[in-house]
Amino acid sequence: MNRILFTAAAGALAMYFLDPQGGRRRRVRTRDKAEHVARRIRDAYDVTLRDTRHRAMGIKAMGRRILRRGPVDDETLAGRVRAVLGRYVSHPHAIEVTVSDGEVGLAGPILAHEVPGLMRAVKHVDGVRRVSNQLVVHKEPGNVSSLQGGVPRRGARFELLQDNWSPAARLAVGSVGLALLLRGGILSRLGGAALLARAITNLDFATLFGTGEPEDGIEVQKTIRVNAPVDQVFAFWSDYENFPHFMSKVRDVHVAGNRSHWVVRGPAGIDVEWTSEVVCMEPNALIAWRSTPDSEVKHEGEVHFEPTEDGGTRVTVRLSYLPPAGAFGHAVASLLGADPKSEMDADLMRMKTMIETGKPPHDAAQPVEKLAS
């Protein structure tokens, strides 16, 4: 039985790669993907090795510091305190740090919710004897220039509770996951597979298994220039029933008010359906949409239209989606030829040709000739 299955698989692969029509293109594409994967593996190896070496040096330095406790000079202590600022304060540049014989002074504007965590962290810095709080507290940024923008900080968190893991942490967790996958029972193997996938992809579990939000999933962004005025291009895009006439996977679109129901050919020819609603529309400038909560595929996106100096239009499409089964579903879809990243380029070229020439493409999901017959 195994020999029959192996022979059938080998025959299918031979037909796929030796097909006179598309075999050469498939072989070249497979070779390019293999080279890309090999480069990614080499880069990951170099980064992981460097990160592991640096962390080992850090642990060694920390051990020496613990064993050789003693007075800390003011410059070193100021550096340690500033390192803490970057983890607890969204605007560390706004805070002035002064150190004198182990006494740390903090001055400058700060947001109210960041004060407790910062004070606790600074007091625990090795070498700090006392903290002088001269901070100017603000509930909101208001008109304070030094509190504008900034990146919210969550403070020091255990690395495995963070969204992004370091290469060294991914190596450690991946090793544990692989060990469980190879030697554990059923539950251990499932857990090991999940840990291994988390380590390889560096995606959180919600994104991996499709339970997160669209903005946390796969993101695609493409830009194309169309030789047509912006009002014509916008009118074409705002009529969603045009999409099956230039997209290869969109089989049908029904519009009702600001909602539209889509039927798309998914992996292995299985139809996938969802409903989208327009959340923002600016004539000749922007169309933004988001899937409804009951949709099979969670996604959101926007299209920007910009007139060019020569009378054309620059179209920029941004799409974030969380496919069924998350990143696993995305990987399967990619293998079966239903990956939006690989499909969008061709779809946009069909759209460009259709608008510029007025001739509908013949390889769309619903060619115009088919509708007319």
Side-chain angles (χ1 to χ4, degrees), residues 282-299:
E282 300 176 11
N284 301 332
L286 170 68
I287 300 175
W289 71 91
R290 186 180 181 91
S291 60
T292 56
D294 58 342
S295 296
E296 295 180 31
V297 179
K298 297 180 181 180
H299 72 281

Side-chain angles (χ1 to χ4, degrees), residues 5-17:
L5 291 176
F6 176 79
T7 303
L13 284 174
M15 292 175 60
Y16 183 79
F17 287 109

Side-chain angles (χ1 to χ4, degrees), residues 28-38 334-335 339 342:
V28 172
R29 185 173 60 184
T30 302
R31 182 197 65 197
D32 291 343
K33 287 186 176 181
E35 292 177 352
H36 175 70
V37 170
S334 179
L335 290 173
D339 176 14
S342 61

Side-chain angles (χ1 to χ4, degrees), residues 21 40 48 81 175 177 306-307:
Q21 299 295 327
R40 292 284 299 271
T48 302
V81 172
S175 300
E306 302 175 74

Side-chain angles (χ1 to χ4, degrees), residues 44-248:
Y45 173 80
D46 292 339
V47 171
T48 302
L49 183 63
R50 186 165 56 250
D51 181 61
T52 303
R53 186 185 299 119
H54 290 168
R55 287 176 177 270
M57 293 170 60
I59 294 173
K60 183 178 179 181
M62 184 180 298
R64 286 200 304 264
R65 191 177 71 191
I66 293 175
L67 294 175
R68 301 176 183 176
R69 283 186 178 274
V72 181
D73 62 87
D74 292 347
E75 184 178 353
T76 300
L77 188 55
R80 293 178 182 176
V81 172
R82 289 202 171 278
V84 169
L85 292 181
R87 293 195 292 267
Y88 286 85
V89 179
S90 56
H91 305 82
H93 60 278
I95 297 178
E96 180 183 355
V97 178
T98 58
V99 179
S100 177
D101 195 24
E103 181 173 335
V104 177
L106 302 177
I110 186 174
L111 297 175
H113 67 274
E114 296 176 341
V115 175
L118 175 62
M119 297 303 296
R120 284 195 302 269
V122 172
K123 290 178 181 178
H124 285 87
V125 172
D126 188 25
V128 173
R129 295 191 301 104
R130 184 173 177 274
V131 180
S132 175
N133 183 355
Q134 303 169 24
L135 298 168
V136 180
V137 180
H138 298 266
K139 289 185 177 181
E140 300 290 341
N143 296 323
V144 182
S145 60
S146 57
L147 293 182
Q148 304 305 313
V151 179
R153 303 297 183 182
R154 299 181 180 180
R157 294 198 304 162
F158 181 57
E159 179 156 6
L160 299 186
L161 298 180
Q162 300 177 18
D163 294 333
N164 293 307
W165 291 354
S166 70
R170 293 169 64 185
L171 176 63
V173 173
S175 300
V176 173
L178 182 61
L180 291 174
L181 185 62
L182 295 177
R183 294 181 175 275
I186 295 178
L187 293 180
S188 295
R189 288 180 179 178
L190 290 175
L195 290 176
L196 187 60
R198 175 65 172 90
I200 292 174
T201 63
N202 205 19
L203 297 173
D204 60 84
F205 288 113
T207 302
L208 272 174
F209 299 110
T211 60
E213 294 300 320
E215 60 267 22
D216 299 324
I218 311 300
E219 183 167 325
V220 186
Q221 180 168 319
K222 301 289 183 181
T223 299
I224 192 170
R225 186 188 173 283
V226 182
N227 294 318
V230 67
D231 56 343
Q232 179 183 347
V233 178
F234 182 85
F236 182 89
W237 271 81
S238 58
D239 184 359
Y240 305 131
E241 294 181 353
N242 283 326
F243 280 56
H245 307 330
F246 72 87
M247 300 189 82
S248 62

Side-chain angles (χ1 to χ4, degrees), residues 260-337:
S260 53
H261 185 76
W262 299 66
V263 180
V264 177
R265 185 168 65 247
I270 301 173
D271 286 349
V272 179
E273 302 185 28
W274 68 75
T275 300
S276 296
E277 57 182 349
V278 175
V279 295
C280 181
M281 180 176 289
E282 300 176 11
N284 301 332
L286 170 68
I287 300 175
W289 71 91
R290 186 180 181 91
S291 60
T292 56
D294 58 342
S295 296
E296 295 180 31
V297 179
K298 297 180 181 180
H299 72 281
E300 62 182 20
E302 57 188 25
V303 185
H304 291 267
F305 305 86
E306 302 175 74
T308 59
E309 294 181 357
D310 58 356
T313 304
R314 183 180 298 106
V315 180
T316 301
V317 184
R318 185 195 64 80
L319 173 67
S320 299
Y321 69 102
L322 200 64
F328 289 130
H330 173 75
V332 173
S334 179
L335 290 173
L336 296 177

